[in-house]
Amino acid sequence: MNKGILYFSAPWCGPCQQLTPIIDTLPSNINIRKINVDYDADLVQRYNVKSVPTLVLTDMSGNELKRLQGGGKTREQIINWYNG
């Protein structure tokens, strides 16, 4: 099954600033879409994002499969979450 990650973040968010470089090192076969919560209110509302950073795993139709919230995640934790 094809899936992707929606990465909800904001430039003023400290944990986001720490997580973004980790997101940028994820394998290229993982489809990642970065969403700035200040500019994409429709997606924030659609996925009911209440805090940043939030990762939402979706199928290719945009249906939420699971989510991971908060900073302090390692590259390995994110990859395991994605593959799990």
Side-chain angles (χ1 to χ4, degrees):
M1 174 181 64
N2 288 330
K3 54 191 175 181
I5 295 174
L6 300 177
Y7 172 44
F8 291 88
S9 65
W12 45 262
C13 164
C16 299
Q17 292 173 4
Q18 294 173 339
L19 188 59
T20 296
I22 294 168
I23 294 294
D24 291 341
T25 69
L26 293 176
S28 60
N29 66 319
I30 297 178
N31 182 24
I32 300 165
R33 180 174 172 194
K34 294 180 182 177
I35 297 143
N36 182 331
V37 298
D38 292 335
Y39 297 110
D40 205 335
D42 290 342
L43 280 177
V44 170
Q45 184 175 10
R46 176 179 175 187
Y47 290 99
N48 196 28
V49 173
K50 301 291 186 195
S51 64
V52 288
T54 295
L55 302 174
V56 176
L57 186 66
T58 66
D59 63 20
M60 284 301 137
S61 296
N63 300 309
E64 181 174 339
L65 303 172
K66 59 184 175 178
R67 69 176 52 206
L68 188 63
Q69 293 179 291
K73 307 294 187 284
T74 66
R75 182 177 187 271
E76 291 73 26
Q77 286 173 315
I78 295 169
I79 291 171
N80 289 337
W81 169 78
Y82 175 84
N83 289 326

